[in-house]
Amino acid sequence: MTIISMQHLSTPLMLPIMISALLFSAPACSNQTAVNTHEDLTDYKEGQASASESLASTEKPAFITKKIATFDEPWAITALPTINNEPPKLLVTQKTGELFIVDTATGAKTTISGIPKVAYGGQGGLGDIVLAPDFATSNHVYMSYVEAGNGTDNNKFGAKVIKATLIGLDIATPRLQDLTPIWEQIPKVKGQGHYSHRLLFSPDGKYLYISSGERQEKTPAQDMSVNLGKIIRLNLDGSVPADNPFVDNSNDIAAQFWSIGHRNVLGMAFDEKGRLWAHEMGPRGGDEFNLIEKGHNYGWPIVSNGRNYTGTDIPDHETRPEFTPPKISWTPVISPSSISIYNAGKYNDFPAWQGNALISGLSSKALIVVDFDENSHATERYRYDMGERIRSVLNVDGQVWVLEDGDNSGLLQLIPQ
């Protein structure tokens, strides 16, 4: 096994990056109370053997990591427009309800006020943030978060998406104002898992895609009367595009859907050819990397390449050809948490990754690099052992930034070697 060394610049600790690293199967929703069984160990050994063949490469780029700042339960990261060739400034959300501007040159963090009240707990809280396509002139951002219900929805929760104006970027007290509702999960349900609530704009800037998890309820993913377990496509004002695949359905909720049959989609990205890719957490095994196509049904919970947490089997995708199978399926799981497509810009720190998907892993504590071909096939190309759970990854002009997961977690820049 070839091993490439990596270290934090701020510490002498050396972290191995193993070319064929695979970890014990942990539940894809990262339930840390779960215990591996002998069957899991068998899966691990079989997966390790096959992955060793497919991942081995003598050309794997190496890097070290530089810690820029520290956060408690960070969730999402996005970049502000670069000004005068200065180092990028990043927006970072914390699940507990905080939003920061981070100066990557100094590590200084500036708090942004005006954040709506979030329902923090479990997998819920403040979620994603993306800049509107016209941010340069409007200063609009879109955010997702979890809100608590009231009245008949007391003790129930759901994700919500808003648009807001970010002002004061040039002063010490930036804030959000003019908060406007765009979308929400219907219905709110008990429990605090599988919200998904990732946000993505189409390459032409006309549409907003929202991942909506099935809230650990399984059946909503196939229920056309609720918007759980779906990928949503909307106009930027929250209205429904006329060419959505289920517009002619008998209910207005279904008109929102772009694709159905999803479990917990925590990463979406368009590649260089305009194809939409998404990964989602499987149950016990069977994490998925999917090419998302208009109107397709991805089968959850009827089919999965994983098993139920009880150990009972779920029919594989190949048993039901009417459901779209994943391009990659991971067992043991990687617990994918975000995705960013690598494209060189002002910098080109990792030319070997050009056009590849960078996927952050939680239980796998890994950065996974996935390649695509002309025929929409996808292949895991490299895997880097990061030593910590990785919550988010972002390419900015050919530089790469990652967020660790949990308390006292680092914002790290990957420095090529």
Side-chain angles (χ1 to χ4, degrees):
M1 176 182 294
T2 304
I3 298 178
I4 303 172
S5 296
M6 177 183 74
Q7 68 180 17
H8 286 255
L9 295 184
S10 57
T11 173
L13 179 63
M14 299 295 290
L15 297 176
I17 301 177
M18 297 182 292
I19 289 175
S20 60
L22 280 173
L23 303 171
F24 281 94
S25 178
C29 66
S30 303
N31 178 355
Q32 299 185 17
T33 64
V35 178
N36 287 305
T37 66
H38 291 298
E39 288 180 319
D40 295 322
L41 182 60
T42 300
D43 287 343
Y44 162 71
K45 290 178 178 177
E46 292 174 351
Q48 186 182 50
S50 62
S52 295
E53 298 174 1
S54 63
L55 298 183
S57 171
T58 59
E59 301 177 355
K60 182 179 178 182
F63 55 79
I64 57 175
T65 63
K66 178 182 179 181
K67 182 177 287 188
I68 304 299
T70 302
F71 298 89
D72 289 326
E73 294 192 81
W75 206 85
I77 177 175
T78 195
L80 290 167
T82 302
I83 300 175
N84 298 326
N85 292 320
E86 295 176 357
K89 292 185 177 180
L90 307 177
L91 298 178
V92 176
T93 65
Q94 289 187 162
K95 280 174 56 181
T96 44
E98 295 81 29
L99 174 62
F100 299 95
I101 301 173
V102 184
D103 186 333
T104 60
T106 65
K109 300 189 297 185
T110 302
T111 301
I112 298 174
S113 62
I115 308 302
K117 182 180 179 180
V118 307
Y120 166 72
Q123 297 175 14
L126 186 58
D128 212 357
I129 183 166
V130 292
L131 306 185
D134 64 352
F135 179 84
T137 55
S138 70
N139 277 16
H140 289 158
V141 297
Y142 287 69
M143 294 178 59
S144 66
Y145 64 97
V146 174
E147 68 171 4
N150 50 49
T152 57
D153 282 338
N154 186 45
N155 200 32
K156 296 181 180 180
F157 306 91
K160 186 171 185 175
V161 177
I162 61 168
K163 180 175 74 172
T165 304
L166 175 55
I167 65 171
L169 288 174
D170 55 347
I171 62 176
T173 56
R175 69 181 189 276
L176 296 181
Q177 65 179 25
D178 304 327
L179 276 60
T180 304
I182 295 294
W183 176 88
E184 63 181 291
Q185 286 183 327
I186 299 174
K188 289 182 170 61
V189 300
K190 293 183 179 180
Q192 294 177 295
H194 291 194
Y195 296 102
S196 295
H197 62 25
R198 282 288 182 190
L199 307 177
L200 176 70
F201 290 109
S202 58
D204 61 10
K206 294 181 179 180
Y207 305 107
L208 173 66
Y209 291 79
I210 306 167
S211 67
S212 179
E214 40 76 280
R215 300 289 279 105
Q216 296 178 307
E217 296 289 334
K218 295 185 177 180
T219 55
Q222 297 293 329
D223 186 343
M224 299 299 284
S225 68
V226 302
N227 60 14
L228 310 179
K230 317 296 193 303
I231 289 179
I232 307 300
R233 179 180 181 253
L234 303 174
N235 295 314
L236 302 194
D237 62 359
S239 61
V240 173
D243 61 344
N244 270 9
F246 303 105
V247 163
D248 294 330
N249 196 281
S250 60
N251 66 78
D252 293 337
I253 292 291
Q256 303 174 1
F257 309 161
W258 187 250
S259 59
I260 67 175
H262 298 289
R263 186 172 183 268
N264 190 22
V265 174
L266 289 176
M268 300 185 294
F270 285 96
D271 69 12
E272 295 175 311
K273 296 185 179 300
R275 298 172 295 193
L276 177 58
W277 297 89
H279 56 60
E280 64 183 273
M281 292 188 174
R284 188 168 159 183
D287 284 353
E288 297 181 8
F289 190 65
N290 288 304
L291 176 65
I292 303 300
E293 298 185 82
K294 179 179 181 178
H296 281 217
N297 187 334
Y298 291 81
W300 179 256
I302 300 170
V303 294
S304 171
N305 292 347
R307 295 171 291 174
N308 290 306
Y309 291 126
T310 61
T312 58
D313 188 43
I314 304 171
D316 289 347
H317 278 83
E318 63 184 16
T319 67
R320 296 288 296 271
E322 70 268 33
F323 299 124
T324 303
K327 298 297 184 178
I328 301 176
S329 179
W330 286 282
T331 300
V333 298
I334 62 170
S335 302
S337 54
S338 73
I339 184 174
S340 185
I341 304 294
Y342 187 88
N343 285 300
K346 178 182 176 183
Y347 307 94
N348 189 15
D349 285 353
F350 300 98
W353 295 351
Q354 180 62 35
N356 291 176
L358 310 180
I359 298 174
S360 55
L362 292 169
S363 65
S364 58
K365 298 183 179 180
L367 178 67
I368 294 96
V369 181
V370 169
D371 193 14
F372 318 106
D373 68 14
E374 297 292 331
N375 298 316
S376 298
H377 297 136
T379 305
E380 179 177 333
R381 189 178 180 197
Y382 305 125
R383 185 179 299 204
Y384 294 89
D385 180 1
M386 300 296 291
E388 300 289 343
R389 291 163 57 88
I390 305 300
R391 171 55 65 179
S392 195
V393 58
L394 179 69
N395 169 68
V396 184
D397 281 338
Q399 294 180 321
V400 179
W401 312 82
V402 299
L403 274 174
E404 296 174 334
D405 186 52
D407 292 336
N408 197 34
S409 296
L411 168 64
L412 310 177
Q413 182 181 0
L414 306 189
I415 308 295
Q417 284 192 307

